[in-house]
Amino acid sequence: MNSALYSGWVQHRRFAPRGHNFRYRMGLLYLDLSEQEQVLALSPLAGRGRFAPFAFRETDYLPQFTSAGIALIDAVRRRVAEAIGHTPLGRICLLTQPRSWGLAFNPASFFYCHEADGQLAAILCEVSNTPFHERYHYVLPADGEGHQHVAVAKAFHVSPFLPRDLEYRMSFSPAGERLGIHMADWQADTKLFDATLTLQRSELNRASLHRHLIQFPWMTGKTVVGIYWQALRLLIKRIPLFTHRAAEGEFRAARSVSKEVPDEKL
């Protein structure tokens, strides 16, 4: 299968107005959307049931489309076409935390969208916030093979500890044996924050799925708890708060740029 499991580390670093950083282990599913049935048939612990330990439901993503009965793969293609002007007709692979024990939550999920010839066409990033339960999409055009580097103005409220007037600068490695994603928040010439995801690929089969559940029990719950724990630490450090603002539209297209983060190894 094209689908796989990835495990590794996520690191957050805050540089201003005061330093703050943390690093967590995490496990993610890399799902070819055309292989859903094969993946969920690997184990009785997997499925679409409400309280399955390892579950996948299309309505957990792009709900403005999927809740209306549109297949997730078609919803992704529609959103990407709106941004880049044409529809990628190859495989769509999703990097995400699967639903676990009834809880679905992803701060960010990434859809790797390919052309019919297998070339990467774009990456759709679906961002969620808590406790507002809002979604936003950044569509990142691919520029040839290899690492992708893009920039886009922030348009969606995520953390109350970061302002709106920022630019995201992102880098993506190919989704191979290793997978890396780096995102930095810049305010003019000052970097306020960055996050780095470094992962190692594992073949997806019955045994590896069970190992994933042992290594990362209730991964979605751990993510939510971690967000609020780090928010408490930031409050204790008296990091300023910014008022929630409505998103600017439903999506925003990024632009390709030269490499912005030469010190990051993806």
Side-chain angles (χ1 to χ4, degrees):
M1 293 189 294
N2 292 317
S3 301
L5 293 170
Y6 278 95
S7 62
W9 296 90
V10 61
Q11 174 182 270
H12 286 205
R13 301 185 299 180
R14 180 179 293 270
F15 305 101
R18 282 174 283 280
H20 180 79
N21 62 79
F22 62 87
R23 187 170 180 250
Y24 288 140
R25 284 273 297 166
M26 72 181 313
L28 297 172
L29 170 66
Y30 183 76
L31 176 66
D32 185 326
L33 293 182
S34 67
E35 297 178 346
Q36 294 181 47
E37 299 307 322
Q38 297 98 304
V39 169
L40 297 180
L42 288 173
S43 167
L45 299 178
R48 302 188 192 276
R50 180 171 180 80
F51 296 109
F54 185 99
F56 184 80
R57 291 185 176 182
E58 292 200 345
T59 50
D60 290 335
Y61 306 89
L62 280 77
Q64 65 268 54
F65 298 109
T66 55
S67 61
I70 298 172
L72 180 56
I73 194 168
D74 295 327
V76 173
R77 286 172 174 156
R78 181 181 298 188
R79 174 87 338 143
V80 170
E82 290 175 312
I84 68 174
H86 78 276
T87 303
L89 297 177
R91 69 183 184 276
I92 308 291
C93 296
L94 167 61
L95 182 69
T96 191
Q97 291 181 152
R99 174 183 282 265
S100 181
W101 298 107
L103 179 62
F105 179 72
N106 277 279
S109 295
F110 303 92
F111 295 85
Y112 291 75
C113 307
H114 298 82
E115 304 285 10
D117 63 2
Q119 298 291 313
L120 184 66
I123 299 171
L124 170 64
C125 176
E126 181 175 68
V127 182
S128 304
N129 60 15
T130 181
F132 302 102
H133 305 294
E134 297 170 326
R135 308 286 182 97
Y136 196 80
H137 298 127
Y138 293 99
V139 182
L140 319 174
D143 183 20
E145 289 300 298
H147 287 63
Q148 306 296 326
H149 309 287
V150 300
V152 63
K154 182 179 179 180
F156 176 67
H157 179 96
V158 179
S159 169
F161 299 98
L162 286 167
R164 170 66 67 82
D165 58 330
L166 297 176
E167 182 180 66
Y168 290 139
R169 300 178 189 177
M170 308 182 199
S171 295
F172 296 81
S173 77
E177 288 304 309
R178 296 184 62 207
L179 188 155
I181 299 173
H182 178 80
M183 185 275 291
D185 288 352
W186 287 79
Q187 189 172 51
D189 296 326
T190 302
K191 182 162 73 167
L192 302 184
F193 168 88
D194 70 14
T196 305
L197 188 63
T198 54
L199 303 171
Q200 186 73 36
R201 182 185 180 107
S202 298
E203 181 182 355
L204 179 54
N205 52 42
R206 183 186 179 98
S208 65
L209 189 151
H210 290 169
R211 285 195 299 271
H212 173 91
L213 290 175
I214 293 170
Q215 292 172 344
F216 305 104
W218 207 37
M219 188 72 234
T220 50
K222 176 183 175 182
T223 299
V224 173
V225 171
I227 287 172
Y228 285 103
W229 169 241
Q230 296 302 329
L232 176 60
R233 292 181 64 197
L234 291 174
L235 286 172
I236 292 171
K237 290 185 176 183
R238 298 188 178 183
I239 303 297
L241 291 167
F242 295 87
T243 303
H244 176 270
R245 292 165 54 188
E248 298 176 9
E250 295 182 349
F251 70 93
R252 178 164 287 183
R255 68 184 190 278
S256 296
V257 296
S258 59
K259 190 172 183 180
E260 297 284 355
V261 283
D263 57 328
E264 300 298 334
K265 295 181 180 179
L266 298 182

